[in-house]
């Protein structure tokens, strides 16, 4: 099962992709998480990517495509994957088509006022990247990750002015990718409003209709 999850910042892609990948048993591949790990470790890629990420711009295609190619060539991705955050530009979509064409592209549709609510309350585990929301999906103990016990932080790029820039970047650079998949009948649009379990049920139904889930 090769699935791409697309949608604006804060639509719930990471939340849903992690759940689906765990249930289906394929790797969850998230370019944002991979980049944040590089930033934390201070690698050359992390150092180069950081300035783009902190201001809400996209990291250059050549860096991202090389990073994703290396990951998708690993043994555990040969049986499929759920991709979150890639492709985000037409050049990235071309690269994916050559590397591992997706079976389906799920598009999470969420209104902008809801995006702001979701991103302002998001907290992310510094250690394992697990995602929470102060109101909608809180951890059992405030500030502590349920999964690994790591400390929860607010992402630097979840500040209001950076969120506005990320949404502008999405409209300018990623909406053409959505249009491209729609034109090729690969896109399935899913209503991303409502609770996390409600959205998950809609995504599972979409995968069943695409013949990818029993
Ligand atoms: P990335 O990490 O991919 O950020 P994003 O696409 O902006 O997406 P988010 O992670 O912000 O949101 P999400 O849709 O995953 O929502 P989530 O599930 O967390 O990328 C960050 C940066 O890295 C980019 O800006 C760019 O610089 C760079 N980058 C990454 N990929 C790149 C690429 N391919 N090319 C170039 N640059 C790249 O949910 C949000 C919150 O809402 C959470 O708190 C969650 O608990 C809550 N929530 C989720 N669902 C619901 C629900 N149904 N109801 C209520 N709350 C909910």
């Amino acid at each position: 099962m090769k699935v791409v999850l697309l949608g604006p910042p804060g639509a719930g892609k990471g939340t849903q992709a992690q759940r689906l990948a765990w249930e289906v048993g394929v790797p969850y591949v998230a370019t944002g998480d991979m980049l944040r790990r590089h930033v934390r470790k201070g690698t050359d890629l992390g150092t180069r990517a950081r300035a783009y990420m902190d201001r809400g711009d996209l990291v250059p295609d050549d860096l991202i495509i090389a990073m994703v190619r290396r990951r998708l060539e690993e043994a555990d991705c040969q049986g499929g994957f759920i991709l979150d955050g890639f492709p985000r530009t037409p050049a990235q979509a071309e690269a994916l088509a050559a590397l591992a064409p997706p079976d389906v592209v799920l598009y999470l549709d969420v209104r902008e006022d809801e995006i702001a609510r979701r991103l302002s309350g998001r907290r992310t585990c510094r250690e394992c990247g697990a995602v929470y929301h102060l109101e909608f999906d809180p951890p059992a103990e405030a500030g502590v990750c349920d999964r690994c016990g790591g400390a929860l932080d607010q992402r630097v790029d979840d500040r209001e002015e950076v969120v506005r820039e990320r949404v502008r970047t999405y409209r300018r650079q990623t909406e053409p990718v959505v249009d491209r998949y729609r034109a090729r009948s690969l896109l399935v649009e899913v209503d991303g409003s409502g609770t996390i379990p409600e959205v998950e049920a809609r995504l599972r139904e979409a995968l069943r209709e695409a013949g990818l889930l029993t």
Side-chain angles (χ1 to χ4, degrees), residues 8-15 31-32 35-36 52-53 57-59 64 84-86 88 92 114 118-119 122 131-133 136-137 155 157 166 192 194-196 199:
K13 302 179 297 292
T15 302
T31 47
L35 289 168
R36 280 184 289 278
Y52 296 97
M53 297 170 75
D57 285 342
L58 293 185
V59 175
I64 292 291
D84 162 16
F86 184 94
R88 265 170 141 107
Q92 293 179 18
E114 179 64 17
R118 290 186 184 179
L119 289 181
R122 172 163 63 186
V131 173
Y132 300 87
H133 191 282
F136 306 128
D137 188 18
R155 269 170 48 178
D157 61 348
R166 283 164 59 202
T195 65
I196 293 172
V199 178

Side-chain angles (χ1 to χ4, degrees), residues 84-105:
D84 162 16
F86 184 94
R88 265 170 141 107
T89 64
Q92 293 179 18
E94 291 290 343
L96 184 63
L99 195 62
D103 300 316
V104 68
V105 177

